Amino acid sequence: MWIKHILLGLCGLTAGTAAAAGTVAFLVMLQILPRMIGKSHTAAHLLLYENIVALGILAGNIISVFLEIRLPLGHVFLAVYGLCAGIFVGCIAIALAEVLRAFPIMFRRLKIKEGLELLMVSIALGKAVGALYFFFHGMATG
């Protein structure tokens, strides 16, 4: 019986790794990850980035396959993880919009030539306030 669980776990890890590799390949193909590394001027730490991505894929697969695993790390870890995950998702969303040239087209059509930095900060703050409101008040499911 336990051999079936081990095989099922290995199949789940393999499928999850394939899906995660496809996601990373998509991000690399759109030049999102290389652009983020280039903008932060941290290309010297490329090996560290590769290791972190690989460990993230492995940890995500293990946690998603073995859902009964509980990490008793407390609320502080949850807050730090939430902040880091939010920053990552925000960076990916902005990088994807930049790659698709959404902002230059929007700015040109709205005839916005000044205050672009303020507009970008406003977008980020709006996302942060909305996320905090959602997490503290929740959304009513009707």
Side-chain angles (χ1 to χ4, degrees), residues 85-141:
I87 289 171
F88 176 76
V89 169
C91 286
I92 294 298
I94 294 298
L96 185 58
E98 182 183 336
V99 167
L100 296 176
R101 307 281 187 237
F103 290 120
I105 292 170
M106 179 181 73
F107 295 151
R108 189 173 39 241
R109 290 194 181 171
L110 295 175
K111 296 182 172 99
I112 298 174
K113 295 184 181 181
E114 294 179 9
L116 299 179
E117 296 87 7
L118 183 62
L119 184 62
M120 297 299 285
V121 169
S122 298
I123 290 171
L125 288 176
K127 180 176 174 37
V129 168
L132 289 173
Y133 180 81
F134 173 78
F135 287 120
F136 289 126
H137 295 289
M139 297 296 279
T141 55

Side-chain angles (χ1 to χ4, degrees), residues 3-16:
I3 194 79
K4 290 181 182 179
H5 290 289
I6 291 175
L7 289 175
L8 184 60
L10 288 175
C11 287
L13 284 173
T14 304

